[in-house]
Amino acid sequence: MIGSGNVDRLATVVLGGIASAVVAIALFVVYPETLTDLLGVLIAIATVLVGLRFAGNVADSLFPAYDVAEVAVEGPISRDGGGGPLPTSPGATPADDVVEQIDRADDDDNVRALLLKLNTPGGEVVPSDDIRLAAKRFDGPTIAYATDVCASGGYWIASGCDELWARDGSIVGSIGVIGSRVNASDLAEKVGLSYERFAAGDYKDAGTPLKELEEEEREYLQSLIDDYYDTFVERVSDGRDLEPEFIRDTEARIYLGEEAYDMELVDHLGTRREIEDELADQLDTDEVVVEEFEPERPLMARVGAGAQSVAYALGAGIAGVADERGFRLRT
């Protein structure tokens, strides 16, 4: 079915092309009998092309072909899109790019709803929350939909949307936090390395891999994890209207889409086509036209979910480096 907006756009472009052709022929050529006439033909063709381009721009402005913006969050989430801390993790999603796309969609008068495509095992905490806030302040219906993986930071983001959809086989959940460090003190001793401390502040080097953790340092690092976890639970509880105790009882498990739906971690199970039908009902229109919004600057190479994303979601969740000392914090 061709919508009336598309018909109007096509008519505008055709009329613009015809008008450009008539003007070009009248100005530059009647019959190409000489080299000058041939040059006129070339100029006429160029004029028609310019006219079509101009008419297309006018048509896009007067009769927009889309009313829903789609923004994708794929791969681990970081501030600038640098690779994750794990060597097998896919290229990360630059959170600033995603926020810019959502804000640009919100400023676009043609866009009436937002589709947030989530295929991510998570990522850094603050960038994930920035995307959640951008989705939350979007002026219109917002639907997040999980393709392969919507775990940890992906679920954090989804809590800022009106609805969360998934497929039966989507991986959903991992609402938890983990901290880790490499203890290389024994290895350092065997190879003759020693650690000399120069620091201002008792906890400045807490988590350094070249020395054993003291009990006070262990409690300090655990308190950071607990604080992040409390924030995570609060975000999900507020955004998804779930009881905090229920969220904690999941113990950071992951669930397939069908079980997540039964637990009300997901609002609906369905395909992309069914999501578009739901949006059409919400916007009171026969059908919606989705425009994929891309970042205005080139993205670094992004790798699809596949086996790497699934393995990353199972083993890591949100992955972020707490600081330069070697203590890694993931939620």
Side-chain angles (χ1 to χ4, degrees):
M1 178 184 296
I2 300 177
S4 60
N6 289 333
V7 173
D8 291 336
R9 291 181 71 256
L10 180 60
T12 301
V13 173
V14 170
L15 289 175
I18 293 174
S20 300
V22 170
V23 171
I25 292 173
L27 290 177
F28 301 113
V29 62
V30 177
Y31 296 106
E33 296 178 350
T34 66
L35 184 60
T36 302
D37 291 340
L38 181 59
L39 179 60
V41 171
L42 298 178
I43 296 175
I45 293 173
T47 303
V48 171
L49 294 177
V50 171
L52 286 172
R53 178 67 178 271
F54 177 76
N57 291 338
V58 172
D60 287 339
S61 176
L62 295 177
F63 312 107
Y66 61 89
D67 49 11
V68 175
E70 179 181 43
V71 176
V73 180
E74 298 180 299
I77 304 159
S78 72
R79 173 62 59 198
D80 58 3
L86 300 180
T88 57
S89 64
T93 293
D96 289 344
D97 280 358
V98 176
V99 170
E100 181 272 327
Q101 292 168 64
I102 295 174
D103 288 343
R104 181 154 41 92
D106 198 18
D107 292 337
D108 190 330
D109 293 336
N110 302 323
V111 175
R112 302 173 60 197
L114 173 68
L115 269 181
L116 196 57
K117 177 183 176 183
L118 299 175
N119 188 16
T120 172
E124 296 174 6
V125 174
V126 176
S128 297
D129 198 48
D130 285 347
I131 299 174
R132 178 192 69 87
L133 289 171
K136 186 175 181 179
R137 65 175 173 260
F138 179 86
D139 185 17
T142 56
I143 292 182
Y145 68 102
T147 54
D148 296 335
V149 181
C150 176
S152 208
Y155 200 86
W156 187 309
I157 292 169
S159 67
C161 296
D162 298 331
E163 299 178 17
L164 173 58
W165 289 60
R167 302 294 297 273
D168 290 347
S170 300
I171 292 176
V172 179
S174 188
I175 307 170
V177 183
I178 183 173
S180 63
R181 64 181 287 269
V182 174
N183 186 349
S185 57
D186 289 343
L187 176 62
E189 184 178 351
K190 288 180 180 179
V191 299
L193 293 176
S194 62
Y195 175 72
E196 292 189 61
R197 181 178 188 271
F198 301 91
D202 290 342
Y203 296 98
K204 182 61 180 176
D205 62 345
T208 298
L210 294 179
K211 72 181 187 70
E212 293 284 352
L213 272 180
E214 298 179 4
E215 188 58 33
E216 293 82 1
E217 293 175 324
R218 190 179 302 277
E219 292 176 357
Y220 161 66
L221 294 176
Q222 182 63 49
S223 71
L224 295 178
I225 295 172
D226 292 341
D227 287 345
Y228 270 122
Y229 183 55
D230 290 342
T231 301
F232 199 170
V233 170
E234 181 182 352
R235 295 286 187 272
V236 172
S237 177
D238 291 344
R240 300 283 308 146
D241 195 22
L242 298 171
E243 290 295 328
E245 194 59 35
F246 166 78
I247 299 169
R248 294 179 186 275
D249 285 345
T250 66
E251 295 290 353
R253 295 182 181 90
I254 58 171
Y255 304 93
L256 295 183
E258 188 170 0
E259 186 176 3
Y261 173 72
D262 292 338
M263 297 175 64
E264 299 184 351
L265 291 171
V266 168
D267 297 304
H268 303 281
L269 296 177
T271 63
R272 165 66 177 269
R273 178 69 260 178
E274 290 171 321
I275 295 172
E276 292 183 11
D277 290 342
E278 171 63 22
L279 276 173
D281 289 340
Q282 293 186 21
L283 298 178
D284 193 23
T285 185
D286 292 337
E287 63 178 0
V288 295
V289 179
V290 179
E291 175 78 3
E292 294 184 14
F293 274 56
E294 298 288 345
E296 292 191 331
R297 62 182 178 84
L299 280 172
M300 297 179 66
R302 297 181 299 174
V303 180
Q308 281 188 324
S309 290
V310 173
Y312 193 78
L314 290 171
I318 287 185
V321 180
D323 54 35
E324 72 279 5
R325 296 168 301 193
F327 179 72
R328 299 192 185 280
L329 185 64
R330 305 185 294 274
T331 65

